[in-house]
Amino acid sequence: MDLKKQVTQGAIWVFLDQFGVQLVSFLVSLVLARLLMPADFGTIALFNVVINVSSVLINGGLSSSLVRTQAVDNRDLSTVFWFNIVMTLLLYLVIFIASPGLLDFIRCLFCLRSFACIVSY
């Protein structure tokens, strides 16, 4: 298989992967928006932001660097695995400890929104 054909097929698969993820995410959001009350949907949206930021921090590019590395040994695989496990646990602890403060912050935002609605009348 020549290089041009491999690059073209790789690009198509990456596009389909990214497009598929975005499409499924959009459809799930539509269903949730239809089923949930606006406040509950907003809570889910805020939760998704925390999950997405955590996912970016956990991956850190190490997994994709394994794909690009020519010679991967067990030490590289073990390092990436344990880094991901430790980062997951640390982020879980941070979110768990910070959740009461985040809840108060979110309630404050809803109070401010209610106050802005009252003042606008």
Side-chain angles (χ1 to χ4, degrees):
M1 194 179 239
D2 66 328
L3 184 60
K4 185 177 180 181
K5 189 173 183 179
Q6 285 180 336
V7 169
T8 304
Q9 284 184 344
I12 290 170
W13 280 111
V14 168
F15 172 76
L16 289 175
D17 176 46
Q18 293 295 320
F19 182 73
V21 168
Q22 294 296 324
L23 180 65
V24 168
S25 177
F26 178 71
L27 293 175
V28 167
S29 294
L30 283 178
V31 170
L32 286 177
R34 204 62 189 129
L35 295 175
L36 298 175
M37 300 297 290
D40 296 332
F41 184 74
T43 303
I44 296 294
L46 288 172
F47 181 70
N48 281 336
V49 169
V50 171
I51 293 297
N52 288 332
V53 169
S54 297
S55 176
V56 168
L57 291 175
I58 289 168
N59 289 333
L62 290 178
S63 300
S64 61
S65 71
L66 285 178
V67 173
R68 294 186 187 103
T69 304
Q70 294 293 327
V72 178
D73 59 357
N74 283 338
R75 184 175 178 207
D76 295 333
L77 295 171
S78 177
T79 301
V80 171
F81 173 77
W82 285 110
F83 177 80
N84 285 346
I85 294 293
V86 169
M87 284 300 292
T88 301
L89 291 174
L90 285 174
L91 284 172
Y92 172 77
L93 285 173
V94 167
I95 292 170
F96 183 78
I97 292 169
S99 61
L102 290 174
L103 182 62
D104 290 340
F105 176 72
I106 291 169
R107 284 185 186 148
C108 180
L109 288 178
F110 286 127
C111 291
L112 288 175
R113 187 178 69 182
S114 300
F115 179 73
C117 290
I118 292 169
V119 171
S120 67
Y121 287 116

